[in-house]
Amino acid sequence: MSDAPKSNTRGALYALVAFGIFSTHDVIIKILGGGGYSPVQIVFFSVMFSFPLATLYLMRDQTSGTLIPKHPYWMAARTIAAVITGFSAFYAFSVLPLAQVYAIIFASPLLITVLAIPILGEVVRIRRWIAVFVGLAGVMIVLRPGQTQLELGHIAALTAAVCGAFSSIVVRKIGREERTVVIMLYPMMANFIVMAAMLPLVYEPLPLEDLGRLAVIALFAWVAGRFLIAAYNAGEAVIVAPMQYSQIIWATAYGFLFFEETPDLATILGSSVIIASGLYIVLRESRSTETEAPVLRTRSRPETGTTPRISPMLPGRLRWKRKDDPAES
């Protein structure tokens, strides 16, 4: 028991490092997008550079079976959602202030809670519903409909939040039965094929410097993923999961240093409301004696399909419980 606080502290520190690296990864995306490169081109090369790193992990998968999914329709839906999430998130980072993008994407845990009802058959009680509505009100504060003009970047960020939440909850539904290699490989392959097909329409010649930045995006995503896995191996999910909100601090600092961005009052207030509601849901799930804990059990960044998804590699994947699971009755 005496080791638990130390383990949680170590887990939290690993997570802070992971999300700091993820934030730096997002800054490079913004630099490239602001430099005139289409999200199609950025996603394509990010996936291409990720394949060698992904292969190193996928070669370790010893689960018997083929690459044919056991749930083809759910896998197809999740793959489409991941491709949309990647394109939308990369576009949003390219055109919006970093803090605004994070504030909107932070709504994913709220959306996961809602999507768990029709997809997982889970029950969301009144207090969580209140937290969801409060969090979505925070999104409205950030967007300020009617006061500021909503741009494609805002729609892209919302799309990334919705599709990322859907992708996460599908992993929660089929994750026990599908091989890890199948869960991780399909979105990456789909992204590679789709973006390759669209690339001739938007391709801009890449100097060596920008090609190196694209390689760094893949490397940072891989390294951050390893730190996040280490964080969940060391600490409890309830301690590690909220560390994702540290990205708003990185976004503020990076936005000020590199892009002359300063979050306005609405973004600060809306972010605070979204984070508070997300923390409430995480903490309430951690204290619940019920099996329903969709946020804690889908506890990584929204999947973009540009690098292997982290959540299938996190501890506890094989211990997910469903109310209708005969093994738990």
Side-chain angles (χ1 to χ4, degrees):
M1 293 296 289
S2 60
D3 291 337
K6 292 182 180 180
S7 295
N8 283 332
T9 299
R10 188 165 63 252
L13 290 175
Y14 285 155
L16 287 172
V17 172
F19 288 114
I21 297 173
F22 274 130
S23 297
T24 310
H25 159 286
D26 298 336
V27 167
I28 300 174
I29 293 171
K30 185 172 181 63
I31 290 172
L32 290 168
Y37 296 109
S38 166
V40 170
Q41 188 166 348
I42 301 173
V43 170
F44 174 81
F45 281 98
S46 298
V47 176
M48 186 181 73
F49 284 122
S50 291
F51 269 124
L53 298 170
T55 302
L56 294 176
Y57 185 87
L58 297 178
M59 288 174 62
R60 298 168 54 192
D61 183 58
Q62 299 179 356
T63 308
S64 61
T66 68
L67 294 180
I68 300 175
K70 296 180 179 179
H71 301 275
Y73 296 113
W74 281 117
M75 185 61 68
R78 196 187 81 82
T79 298
I80 293 169
V83 171
I84 295 172
T85 301
F87 178 87
S88 300
F90 278 41
Y91 178 76
F93 280 122
S94 298
V95 300
L96 289 182
L98 288 170
Q100 276 194 23
V101 179
Y102 281 131
I104 296 170
I105 290 179
F106 283 164
S108 282
L110 311 175
L111 299 171
I112 288 172
T113 301
V114 175
L115 290 173
I117 301 171
I119 296 177
L120 301 181
E122 296 187 349
V123 177
V124 176
R125 305 192 188 283
I126 184 63
R127 292 184 181 179
R128 282 191 210 171
W129 272 118
I130 293 173
V132 168
F133 284 123
V134 169
L136 295 179
V139 175
M140 292 297 102
I141 293 173
V142 173
L143 294 177
R144 287 161 290 174
Q147 298 182 27
T148 59
Q149 183 177 358
L150 294 182
E151 303 174 357
L152 283 176
H154 296 106
I155 297 173
L158 283 169
T159 301
V162 173
C163 291
F166 176 79
S167 179
S168 294
I169 210 71
V170 172
V171 172
R172 168 77 171 91
K173 182 177 181 65
I174 67 176
R176 289 201 309 175
E177 300 174 11
E178 294 286 1
R179 295 179 65 198
T180 299
V181 62
V182 172
I183 291 175
M184 293 194 296
L185 193 58
Y186 272 67
M188 293 185 67
M189 287 298 300
N191 244 333
F192 187 80
I193 294 170
V194 171
M195 299 306 156
M198 298 171 62
L199 189 60
L201 303 176
V202 298
Y203 180 77
E204 293 289 338
L206 281 162
L208 188 60
E209 180 182 2
D210 288 342
L211 195 63
R213 285 173 173 156
L214 287 163
V216 169
I217 288 175
L219 179 62
F220 276 13
W222 177 258
V223 173
R226 305 287 74 69
F227 268 104
L228 195 53
I229 292 168
Y232 280 108
N233 279 320
E236 300 172 72
V238 67
I239 301 297
V240 175
M243 297 300 110
Q244 66 177 307
Y245 297 123
S246 66
Q247 290 177 108
I248 200 70
I249 300 173
W250 288 105
T252 303
Y254 280 144
F256 179 78
L257 289 173
F258 298 117
F259 308 109
E260 299 182 354
E261 298 172 354
T262 303
D264 56 23
L265 180 60
T267 300
I268 295 172
L269 178 59
S271 300
S272 301
V273 172
I274 296 166
I275 291 171
S277 60
L279 286 173
Y280 176 83
I281 289 174
V282 167
L283 293 173
R284 184 158 183 83
E285 285 187 359
S286 71
R287 294 196 302 265
S288 177
T289 57
E290 304 167 1
T291 60
E292 295 86 349
V295 172
L296 280 178
R297 298 186 186 281
T298 48
R299 52 194 190 271
S300 61
R301 277 181 36 126
E303 180 177 15
T304 60
T306 57
T307 192
R309 179 162 180 86
I310 296 167
S311 63
M313 297 179 276
L314 296 180
R317 174 172 173 251
L318 298 178
R319 295 192 297 274
W320 287 345
K321 298 179 182 179
R322 294 276 307 281
K323 287 195 301 182
D324 57 350
D325 187 350
E328 301 299 336
S329 60

